[in-house]
Amino acid sequence: MVSNKDLLAKAQEYSANNVDLYELLQIDTNTTEESDIRRAWRKQSLKYHPDKLGDAFDAEKWELIETARDILLDLAARAAYDNGRKAVLLRKAERERVHGQRKRMIDELEAAEEAAKQKRQAEEDKARELERERARLAEEGRRRMEEENERFKRENLEAQERQRRERIERDGDGDEYDEKLADLQRQIDEKRRLKAERKAARKKGGEAPEKSSDTATAAPASYSRPPLDWGNLMARCREADQLKAAKKATAV
């Protein structure tokens, strides 16, 4: 029989090591009747009895069952065991709670990091997509500008060709037309010269010089000069200037 002092020490040792004496005897923690405790002890002792197990007999297990019976039957030892066991269970629950909080915190941090990573990835993907779209729009704008320039040049050339054909249909060959323009320009220059001479003569008080046959510009032999129509002449000069300007624009 174990002494009360040793029994208290064993009770504290088992509670500290979280040895479940109730589970060992297969009884409920609320079982207090001595007869119930002894009946449970007897059942377990028969189960682990050396005569039944033979070579498989576990002496430590047998001794633990005997000590469990003594502790649970002794009020002081049982109280010490229950209090120690409660403290152990409370510490275990606290550790599990702290562990759960730590695990939850770690999980939340990992989830936040993953969300931030996915957000950064989405932003990078969006930036790359925007860059690709910007490059596509720039390329499309450049292509459209080239097409527009080509279209403008083509339309300009077509317009010049139409004007050239209309001019040929109206005035004949281009060389003849240029010759006419040159002759008209000579007439204009001659008229300006005579006008300037008359103006100078009036200032000096003299008479305006007569137009001499040697100063007048003779018309080409191949061309019979028509009566001078100043309105038509100026219109053709303007048309010639427009053609020259169109040629310069096309060359540029």
Side-chain angles (χ1 to χ4, degrees), residues 161-178:
E161 180 63 19
R162 284 195 303 270
Q163 291 177 358
R164 188 185 68 82
R165 291 179 180 178
E166 291 173 357
R167 178 172 58 83
I168 292 174
E169 291 176 358
R170 184 180 65 247
D171 300 321
D173 184 72
D175 294 337
E176 182 181 355
Y177 179 74
D178 292 339

Side-chain angles (χ1 to χ4, degrees), residues 2-232:
V2 183
S3 65
N4 290 339
K5 185 177 180 180
D6 293 338
L7 205 59
L8 284 172
K10 285 288 185 180
Q12 293 172 354
E13 177 186 349
Y14 291 157
S15 64
N17 293 327
N18 199 23
V19 178
D20 194 343
L21 301 181
Y22 296 101
E23 178 68 22
L24 186 63
L25 295 182
Q26 296 293 305
I27 60 175
D28 190 77
T29 56
N30 296 324
T31 302
T32 57
E33 292 294 332
E34 181 178 351
S35 59
D36 294 336
I37 296 173
R38 288 188 179 278
R39 187 182 304 109
W41 161 77
R42 189 175 296 108
K43 182 178 179 180
Q44 294 300 315
S45 64
L46 290 174
K47 182 178 179 180
Y48 294 99
H49 198 276
D51 293 341
K52 182 177 181 180
L53 297 179
D55 294 338
F57 172 69
D58 188 347
E60 292 183 359
K61 185 81 170 184
W62 174 268
E63 182 181 355
L64 183 58
I65 292 172
E66 295 289 317
T67 306
R69 176 203 60 193
D70 295 339
I71 291 174
L72 296 181
L73 288 175
D74 186 275
L75 295 179
R78 181 171 180 171
Y81 171 77
D82 288 342
N83 291 334
R85 189 164 179 266
K86 287 179 181 179
V88 170
L89 293 176
L90 287 174
R91 287 195 297 271
K92 181 181 179 182
E94 181 65 17
R95 284 195 301 271
E96 290 177 352
R97 185 184 67 81
V98 172
H99 177 72
Q101 290 180 345
R102 185 180 295 111
K103 186 177 183 303
R104 185 167 57 254
M105 184 181 298
I106 292 173
D107 292 342
E108 290 175 354
L109 288 174
E110 290 178 350
E113 290 178 356
E114 182 64 23
K117 181 180 178 181
Q118 292 179 358
K119 183 179 179 181
R120 287 194 302 271
Q121 185 65 36
E123 291 175 350
E124 291 174 359
D125 293 342
K126 184 177 180 180
R128 284 193 293 269
E129 182 64 25
L130 289 175
E131 181 62 23
R132 286 194 295 268
E133 182 65 14
R134 186 198 65 78
R136 186 189 67 79
L137 291 175
E139 177 63 22
E140 184 177 354
R142 184 191 62 78
R143 180 179 56 79
R144 288 186 177 181
M145 181 64 70
E146 291 179 353
E147 292 176 353
E148 187 67 18
N149 290 336
E150 290 296 327
R151 185 185 63 81
F152 176 77
K153 290 180 180 179
R154 185 172 60 254
E155 291 178 353
N156 196 13
L157 290 174
E158 291 174 354
Q160 292 180 27
E161 180 63 19
R162 284 195 303 270
Q163 291 177 358
R164 188 185 68 82
R165 291 179 180 178
E166 291 173 357
R167 178 172 58 83
I168 292 174
E169 291 176 358
R170 184 180 65 247
D171 300 321
D173 184 72
D175 294 337
E176 182 181 355
Y177 179 74
D178 292 339
E179 186 178 349
K180 290 179 180 180
L181 287 179
D183 183 62
L184 291 174
Q185 186 64 43
R186 285 193 295 270
Q187 294 181 44
I188 292 172
D189 293 341
E190 178 64 17
K191 187 173 182 63
R192 288 176 178 173
R193 186 184 65 79
L194 292 175
K195 184 177 180 181
E197 289 179 357
R198 286 195 297 270
K199 185 176 181 181
R202 282 196 299 271
K203 286 183 179 180
K204 293 180 180 180
E207 293 296 331
E210 294 295 333
K211 181 177 179 181
S212 59
S213 59
D214 57 341
T215 58
T217 303
S222 61
Y223 173 66
S224 178
R225 180 184 301 173
L228 190 60
D229 185 351
W230 288 105
N232 185 38

